[in-house]
Amino acid sequence: MKPQRIFITGGASGLGFALAQICAKGGWRVCIGDRDIERGEAVIGSLQKLQRQAMFMPCDVTRVSDLEQVAKKLEEEWGGVDVVVNNAGVAQVGQLAQTTLNDWQWIIDINLLGVVRGCKVFTPMFKRQDHGHFVNVASMAGLLDVPNMSAYNATKAAVVSLSETLQNELKKDNIHVTVVCPSFFKTNLGHGMRTSIDGMEQKLDKLMRSSKLNAVDIARLIMKAVDKKKTHVLPHRQGRMAWYMKRFLPRSWYQKLLYSRIK
């Protein structure tokens, strides 16, 4: 795949950093954005060893001004950007009755509106260039309905719907959209997770460790999807099977299978 220019939110760790490493190794110009400034400054050197033009910019996706600064910098330094990955996200676990409205506002502001801001800021640049590609990282939680995760599920479902809608809106402008829906895999999603369920951190860690795919595997699938301009990426076979069951089985059958898998 021909080297291009890429910006990745939440790029200092996890899936975002794995994606940055793959792109840098492939000769891409890489800019990672992250609100964890200490982490970003610690890892940018390793990317610059792979690609000397790699950059780190402090970026909190809840602040549109941060994203606007990144867009301005990339236009000045690189003349634009080809791929924008809206990857930053957080987790919230708990039943609706125990989840505060403050927690709902927190996760919506990051998981959903963070993606909205990223797309809104970079769409004008993509239109001026007459090309661009958004990669929005959602989750299988956006396609399924695992109990005790209503806020998380809802934000990721909204990212799926947003991505599909933008694909329709932006196609005429030669702007492509890919939405990625992984199941659990080893990442730092548990850091900063809000939960009202005892022992959830340990359960989440167990689910992540059981994954047959890691961040690098998923990053490679994302790059293939960008190359082929695919709309959906569902990396985990088990997740795909659960989605097919939800779509084609009677609801009561699907619910029994779902509960048997998450006990």
Side-chain angles (χ1 to χ4, degrees):
M1 187 176 181
K2 183 181 176 182
Q4 298 182 55
R5 303 160 296 180
I6 189 169
F7 169 59
I8 307 164
T9 69
S13 61
L15 176 60
F17 187 62
L19 194 55
Q21 286 180 306
I22 287 173
C23 289
K25 287 176 183 176
W28 286 48
R29 282 177 279 181
V30 178
C31 177
I32 57 171
D34 208 290
R35 64 180 180 180
D36 188 340
I37 297 174
E38 184 177 348
R39 175 71 181 172
E41 291 176 343
V43 301
I44 188 59
S46 65
L47 291 178
Q48 289 171 339
K49 288 178 181 177
L50 299 170
Q51 218 291 332
R52 61 182 179 82
Q53 290 186 293
M55 292 190 292
F56 163 66
M57 291 196 67
C59 181
D60 184 336
V61 297
T62 66
R63 295 199 291 256
V64 71
S65 59
D66 283 12
L67 289 156
E68 288 172 342
Q69 275 191 312
V70 173
K72 183 180 178 182
K73 179 76 170 178
L74 296 184
E75 198 144 36
E76 290 173 349
E77 295 288 327
W78 296 349
V81 67
D82 303 297
V83 181
V84 170
V85 183
N86 292 301
N87 166 69
V90 292
Q92 197 288 326
V93 182
Q95 293 186 358
L96 180 64
Q98 282 76 49
T99 303
T100 68
L101 288 178
N102 181 61
D103 283 342
W104 272 91
Q105 290 168 340
W106 169 73
I107 197 169
I108 288 171
D109 200 20
I110 298 170
N111 285 10
L112 173 56
L113 293 181
V115 177
V116 171
R117 293 182 188 100
C119 292
K120 194 167 180 64
V121 166
F122 283 93
T123 292
M125 182 191 294
F126 282 175
K127 287 185 176 181
R128 289 194 299 272
Q129 296 173 168
D130 194 34
H131 76 275
H133 198 131
F134 287 115
V135 176
N136 297 332
V137 179
S139 168
M140 283 307 301
L143 300 176
L144 305 176
D145 41 83
V146 178
N148 302 323
M149 298 181 68
S150 57
Y152 185 75
N153 294 351
T155 59
K156 293 303 186 178
V159 170
V160 173
S161 180
L162 170 68
S163 302
E164 293 170 343
T165 303
L166 288 179
Q167 187 198 41
N168 296 332
E169 289 183 8
L170 300 175
K171 186 176 181 180
K172 66 182 184 301
D173 299 301
N174 197 33
I175 299 171
H176 304 281
V177 184
T178 295
V179 61
V180 187
C181 297
S183 300
F184 292 109
F185 64 99
K186 190 63 179 175
T187 184
N188 61 341
L189 184 64
H191 296 172
M193 177 179 67
R194 296 185 182 183
T195 179
S196 58
I197 298 176
D198 291 337
M200 193 61 220
E201 292 85 354
Q202 292 78 12
K203 186 173 182 179
L204 179 61
D205 185 63
K206 182 180 178 181
L207 287 168
M208 288 180 173
R209 284 188 284 107
S210 68
S211 175
K212 293 182 179 179
L213 300 179
N214 58 33
V216 174
D217 296 324
I218 295 169
R220 286 174 178 150
L221 291 172
I222 290 172
M223 295 311 297
K224 288 180 181 178
V226 170
D227 189 34
K228 296 179 179 179
K229 298 180 173 58
K230 286 181 61 177
T231 304
H232 299 89
V233 180
L234 280 63
H236 291 82
R237 182 178 180 275
Q238 191 174 24
R240 293 194 298 273
M241 293 303 296
W243 186 47
Y244 297 151
M245 289 189 293
K246 178 180 178 179
R247 293 168 65 197
F248 299 118
L249 291 180
R251 178 70 181 176
S252 59
W253 292 14
Y254 161 72
Q255 285 179 309
K256 287 179 182 179
L257 288 166
L258 177 66
Y259 274 93
S260 70
R261 287 175 180 267
I262 64 176
K263 282 182 179 178

